[in-house]
Amino acid sequence: MARKLRAWEAGKPVPRYDTIHHAVVPADQTLIVVFVRMAGESRPWGIAWGRADEQPRIASVPDGRVRDDVAVLCADFAEDLLEHLRVHNWTYDPVDQSAVLAELRQVWLPNGQHVAMLHQLSYTYSQTKFGGVNQDILRALGRLAGWMFRDTSRHGHQHVVNASAALGKAYVFPTQDARTAHLGYQLAWLETSGNLAERMAAAGTAEGLTVSPTLDPRLERDELSPLVEKFQAGRREGANVSKLADAIAAVLASQLERRWRLTAAAYRLLLDNERPINAGVPALVAEAHDEFWNQHQRIELRHNDPSQGPAFVAHPETDFHGSSAASRYLIHAAADEAYTGHLIHDDAELFLEALDDGKALRGTVDSADDLGSGRTTKPQWVLRVDPTLPNRLRENGRIAPYGSKGHEATILSVESSAEALAVRIEWTGRKTMPLACGIGARPADLGWVGQEVAFVVSDAADLTRRRSGRVWKAKDGPGAWLTHGKAPVPVEITTEDPGADFLIDDISQIESETGA
């Protein structure tokens, strides 16, 4: 709320944090993608895609309800998307498991509705029985789109960027939060010069132009529908309908290009931002690469080489696979726990936010002792903490000194009085190494006495991540009936295509290593 008031006072958006909290890679590593679709349809009617430093490629079909035409469009798009993300079997230079920030490839989309189109592509193509010569690449597109969509729900994801959400994290706007989901509205606030009234007027005008994949109903009803009806009537009669197809393509191209330009503007605004990328982002990128390898690249390898193991692909409809669902839940929980810990040591605003939430504290060192014997070091401090401030202190809890990631201490006891909380801590992580904050001495140094030191609450992400691996070995343990249940009869998964797939349960697929 305080930031919102500052934005109102300034008459313009103000930075939310001191750093940018996600990677913004160079233009040659960035693919901008936008979709449009017919009202009521899930398949795209047109797609614009291209690197941020090039002109977009714009393609569409005359009628988005014609499945075969849309399949050709999507196969064309898939070829560039698969190559851009360096997916195994679809490029000569696939990304490996040890990739770093310089190897990261990003896909930027305008807003959450365009991100949801990835789920539609997964649902349509990951198990398609159609497509003819394009069937393999369409299935590959469906699998990749499914992974991209699922990964966007993991805190700290880096491959897919929702431009509207990225601007919302980077800035506080002097307006209602519900309105800032509109990318054009955000950019008008950020790029318009002048006072509050002028910026507000420009934002209101921009808000009237839709950015979602679904077109403005008036445009579709008044301009496109008559053209599509004439096109279909002419095609049924065997007439030349090329001019009608061109007219439809021209209308769609203008809509696609406008959305693409808005997304490119958001990308450039964050790329050229005066604030630096947070020093914790490379750790998030490493986790993102690990997720891409384990949840997609490894699976794609197994599609071509079943000897490496079963190629399990998550169904786009729901979590049919109990073990996979339980494991992914824990991975996402671990990412959620670790996210702030990666970033907070390089962002004072984020630290102040944690301080208000009781997830950080400031205390004065009353004593610093080394209770070790011989060569053993056992530094302990007693901190004096203001009891009126919010905190989440508890015995056996872990805290880390703010600005010195890697050091860690365990809370041994908390004694309260009217004047202060006396918190006794024992250093357990990097206890013989100098801290990167304060006076820069080792924890056992007496020079810390009288110094004010800030701490943040440590997370248990590593423990949660280890639990995710144990799910797969829990077939005989408590809760096995949930994660390792065997279906009494084969479960049929029907799709819009004629034919059906039979669900392979956890035991027959993972433990017996049958292919999916």
Side-chain angles (χ1 to χ4, degrees), residues 94-351:
V95 69
D96 61 24
Q97 190 173 6
S98 59
V100 294
L101 180 59
E103 301 291 327
L104 177 65
R105 301 292 183 88
Q106 288 185 328
V107 176
W108 283 60
L109 299 117
N111 57 30
Q113 291 172 302
H114 288 261
V115 173
M117 285 294 293
L118 297 173
H119 186 224
Q120 301 290 356
L121 290 174
S122 172
Y123 198 91
T124 302
Y125 293 122
S126 62
Q127 298 182 19
T128 185
K129 306 296 189 300
F130 287 91
V133 295
N134 291 321
Q135 185 184 88
D136 286 344
I137 196 169
L138 288 173
R139 286 188 170 187
L141 170 64
R143 294 191 298 269
L144 176 59
W147 175 82
M148 292 168 68
F149 176 73
R150 291 190 298 274
D151 195 56
T152 57
S153 64
R154 184 182 59 82
H155 228 139
H157 65 89
Q158 300 293 317
H159 287 83
V160 179
V161 180
N162 174 338
S164 173
L167 290 181
K169 284 185 177 181
Y171 293 94
V172 178
F173 295 83
T175 185
Q176 301 96 324
D177 290 340
R179 301 179 74 180
T180 59
H182 191 289
L183 182 59
Y185 185 79
Q186 292 173 310
L187 289 168
W189 271 108
L190 290 164
E191 295 180 337
T192 302
S193 58
N195 57 30
L196 176 64
E198 291 170 323
R199 290 173 184 267
M200 191 177 294
T205 300
E207 192 177 23
L209 299 174
T210 180
V211 183
S212 79
T214 303
L215 296 169
D216 186 319
R218 290 171 297 182
L219 173 71
E220 188 168 346
R221 180 185 64 243
D222 299 338
E223 291 190 43
L224 286 168
S225 289
L227 291 172
V228 172
E229 290 176 6
K230 291 177 182 178
F231 171 84
Q232 288 290 17
R235 189 157 70 170
R236 286 192 297 268
E237 296 169 2
N240 185 346
V241 292
S242 59
K243 290 185 178 180
L244 289 168
D246 290 344
I248 295 170
V251 176
L252 295 176
S254 66
Q255 294 295 311
L256 286 163
E257 184 172 7
R258 181 173 59 81
R259 289 162 171 76
W260 194 95
R261 299 292 177 198
L262 288 173
T263 312
Y267 163 76
R268 287 193 300 271
L269 194 151
L270 291 176
L271 178 69
D272 300 331
N273 204 279
E274 60 184 15
R275 287 172 288 170
I277 301 297
N278 191 287
V281 165
L284 296 177
V285 171
E287 290 183 3
H289 277 306
D290 188 63
E291 281 291 292
F292 185 50
W293 172 265
N294 285 298
Q295 299 302 314
H296 191 72
Q297 287 285 65
R298 182 173 57 94
I299 306 303
E300 291 300 298
L301 281 172
R302 291 180 175 186
H303 271 284
N304 271 13
D305 186 4
S307 67
Q308 296 192 28
F312 167 67
V313 178
H315 195 277
E317 204 168 86
T318 188
D319 287 319
F320 286 111
H321 201 296
S323 301
S324 174
S327 177
R328 298 316 302 158
Y329 169 80
L330 291 169
I331 286 293
H332 283 230
D336 188 46
E337 293 170 12
Y339 178 73
T340 300
H342 285 309
L343 304 174
I344 194 169
H345 296 280
D346 190 43
D347 198 311
E349 276 287 316
L350 191 58
F351 171 75

Side-chain angles (χ1 to χ4, degrees), residues 15-33:
R16 184 179 293 273
Y17 296 112
D18 294 334
T19 58
I20 301 298
H21 291 176
H22 62 86
V24 184
V25 298
D28 61 352
Q29 295 173 233
T30 304
L31 187 73
I32 298 173
V33 177

Side-chain angles (χ1 to χ4, degrees), residues 37 49 54-55 67 70 89 125 144 203 208 239 293 302 305 363 411 423 436 447 451-452:
R37 64 184 174 194
W49 70 97
E54 297 178 348
Q55 293 298 312
R67 179 182 58 197
V70 175
N89 307 325
Y125 293 122
L144 176 59
W293 172 265
R302 291 180 175 186
D305 186 4
I411 298 174
V423 183
Q451 298 289 323
E452 184 179 74

